[in-house]
């Protein structure tokens, strides 16, 4: 779901909140291809991102992790083993280890290339994997073992599936256990309180957070949806300079525009491939 190899996906909230759809994945795959040999169409090749090798490496790592888990099979339930096997099976639907294969086939002296070089045909398989991920995630959060990464992920998950009371409770309890993440957890407690409609308490919590002057731009994901609230805006302006507030708004606006441009580009690519397919059929 990344717009490029250097930027994070803008779909993290959907992913963590169990809200990613097959249509989201299909759009995200419009600009993804196996490797550089698929960059043959000069009309779109500058927009495409080869990810075949990355897919193979990630699938191999997951497969190895599952294999390692089987060393502790005595501690796994039948349902857990079945879930892991389902994940393994879905990872093998496509021949990922052949990621370097050429897009060009030579038959009878003629070079043949796919009309659509993208990986959009993988959307259904990846969506089914995502549904299995949701099941696995639930198992992990209900397990007695936890560490910092699991805990942070759990807090975000509860917030983005709209379980605000649970998110606030878990985040608050975690502050003493993970003091280095105090600021992060306090923000999620504040946002949860706000979403629960307890705005007066939420404003007080936000004021206490902002007193410590966390970096405003780095904290933008916690504030972006609440800037239309005049009380939230006034609290930010109370503790930060006009320049810092302006920088926050500029960064958020750029990200909104960037996300919209990426979605619009994916829609245009999808139409381009569809039109190209129809034109090819008409020639046959």
């Amino acid at each position: 779901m990344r717009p490029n190899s250097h930027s994070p996906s803008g779909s993290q909230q959907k992913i963590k909140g169990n809200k990613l759809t097959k249509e989201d994945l299909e759009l995200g795959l419009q600009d993804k291809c196996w490797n550089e040999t698929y960059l043959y169409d000069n009309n779109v090749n500058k927009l495409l991102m080869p990810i075949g090798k990355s897919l193979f490496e990630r699938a191999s790592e997951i497969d190895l992790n599952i294999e390692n888990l089987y060393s502790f099979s005595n501690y796994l339930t039948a349902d857990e083993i079945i879930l892991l096997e389902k994940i393994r099976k879905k990872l093998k639907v496509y021949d990922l280890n052949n990621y370097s294969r050429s897009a060009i086939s030579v038959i009878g002296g003629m070079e043949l290339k796919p009309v659509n070089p993208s990986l959009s045909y993988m959307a259904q398989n990846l969506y089914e994997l995502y549904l299995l991920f949701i099941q696995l995630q639930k198992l992990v959060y209900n397990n007695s073992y936890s560490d910092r990464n699991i805990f942070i992920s759990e807090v975000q998950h509860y917030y983005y599936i709209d379980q605000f009371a649970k998110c606030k409770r878990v985040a608050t309890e975690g502050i003493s256990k993970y003091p280095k993440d105090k600021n992060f957890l306090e923000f999620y407690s504040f946002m949860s309180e706000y979403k629960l409609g307890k705005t007066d308490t939420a404003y007080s919590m936000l004021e206490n957070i902002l007193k410590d002057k966390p970096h405003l731009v780095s904290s933008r994901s916690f504030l972006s949806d609440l800037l239309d609230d005049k009380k939230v805006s006034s609290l930010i302006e109370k503790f930060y300079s006009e320049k810092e507030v302006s920088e926050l708004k500029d960064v958020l606006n750029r990200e909104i525009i960037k996300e919209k441009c990426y979605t619009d580009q994916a829609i245009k690519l999808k139409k381009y491939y569809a039109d190209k397919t129809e034109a090819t059929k008409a020639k046959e």
Side-chain angles (χ1 to χ4, degrees):
M1 299 302 293
R2 292 184 176 188
N4 57 65
S5 57
H6 306 295
S7 301
S9 166
S11 302
Q12 288 302 315
Q13 293 182 11
K14 280 188 173 184
I15 293 170
K16 290 183 171 73
N18 300 352
K19 296 171 184 174
L20 196 69
T21 66
K22 179 189 171 184
E23 290 69 31
D24 292 327
L25 282 162
E26 189 175 21
L27 281 180
L29 290 167
Q30 295 299 324
D31 67 337
K32 309 302 189 301
C33 62
W34 279 115
N35 55 56
E36 285 75 9
T37 67
Y38 284 78
L39 305 178
Y40 51 77
D41 188 336
N42 291 330
N43 292 320
V44 298
N45 59 5
K46 292 182 180 178
L47 304 176
L48 300 184
M49 186 193 320
I51 64 167
K53 184 179 180 182
S54 175
L55 282 177
F56 167 69
E57 290 173 345
R58 288 168 186 246
S60 298
E61 183 179 359
I62 294 169
D63 189 68
L64 180 60
N65 286 337
I66 291 174
E67 187 64 35
N68 290 336
L69 278 172
Y70 286 160
S71 299
F72 305 94
S73 58
N74 290 339
Y75 301 96
L76 297 173
T77 66
D79 287 342
E80 288 169 344
I81 292 173
I82 290 171
L83 177 58
L84 293 173
E85 276 304 304
K86 284 181 178 179
I87 292 171
R88 231 177 181 181
K89 186 176 179 180
K90 288 297 176 188
L91 289 172
K92 294 178 180 178
V93 167
Y94 296 103
D95 188 13
L96 298 182
N97 65 335
N98 195 19
Y99 61 85
S100 60
R101 60 183 174 273
S102 177
I104 303 168
S105 302
V106 179
I107 301 176
M110 293 180 59
E111 287 190 350
L112 302 178
K113 306 168 187 173
V115 175
N116 182 346
S118 80
L119 295 176
S120 55
Y121 62 88
M122 295 178 66
Q124 180 62 37
N125 177 253
L126 290 177
Y127 180 64
E128 290 169 4
L129 262 172
Y130 175 64
L131 295 179
L132 294 174
F133 159 75
I134 291 173
Q135 293 181 45
L136 181 64
Q137 186 175 238
K138 187 176 180 180
L139 282 175
V140 170
Y141 296 154
N142 290 332
N143 195 284
S144 58
Y145 172 80
S146 183
D147 58 25
R148 178 193 173 274
N149 290 336
I150 292 174
F151 177 77
I152 293 298
S153 175
E154 185 177 6
V155 169
Q156 293 176 311
H157 172 68
Y158 292 142
Y159 183 80
Y160 293 119
I161 62 170
D162 303 331
Q163 290 191 13
F164 304 119
K166 193 168 187 177
C167 177
K168 180 177 180 293
R169 176 177 60 78
V170 173
T172 303
E173 290 172 355
I175 291 175
S176 59
K177 190 172 183 180
Y178 301 103
K180 290 183 179 179
D181 297 301
K182 179 175 180 289
N183 180 254
F184 175 91
L185 296 173
E186 285 180 338
F187 262 121
Y188 271 101
S189 293
F190 147 69
M191 292 191 300
S192 297
E193 194 79 346
Y194 186 95
K195 291 289 187 179
L196 288 167
K198 301 176 182 179
T199 52
D200 288 341
T201 307
Y203 294 143
S204 177
M205 293 169 70
L206 179 60
E207 185 167 13
N208 285 329
I209 293 170
L210 298 182
K211 280 179 182 177
D212 293 332
K213 291 292 295 282
H215 190 268
L216 201 53
V217 171
S218 299
S219 304
R220 65 190 182 279
S221 62
F222 304 119
L223 302 167
S224 59
D225 293 337
L226 306 178
L227 291 179
D228 290 336
D229 185 316
K230 292 181 180 179
K231 180 64 175 178
V232 171
S233 293
S234 66
L235 284 172
I236 293 172
E237 291 166 1
K238 178 180 178 180
F239 294 101
Y240 295 88
S241 68
E242 185 177 337
K243 181 181 178 181
E244 288 172 314
V245 175
S246 178
E247 183 186 12
L248 169 67
K249 292 179 179 178
D250 287 346
V251 171
L252 287 173
N253 285 333
R254 285 200 301 270
E255 288 181 340
I256 291 169
I257 293 170
K258 188 176 180 181
E259 187 66 25
K260 184 180 185 305
C261 286
Y262 181 64
T263 301
D264 290 346
Q265 175 186 287
I267 292 171
K268 288 177 181 177
L269 279 172
K270 184 177 180 180
K271 184 178 184 305
Y272 173 77
Y273 299 142
D275 291 346
K276 190 177 176 183
T277 300
E278 285 300 313
T280 301
K281 287 180 179 178
K283 291 178 183 178
E284 294 177 353

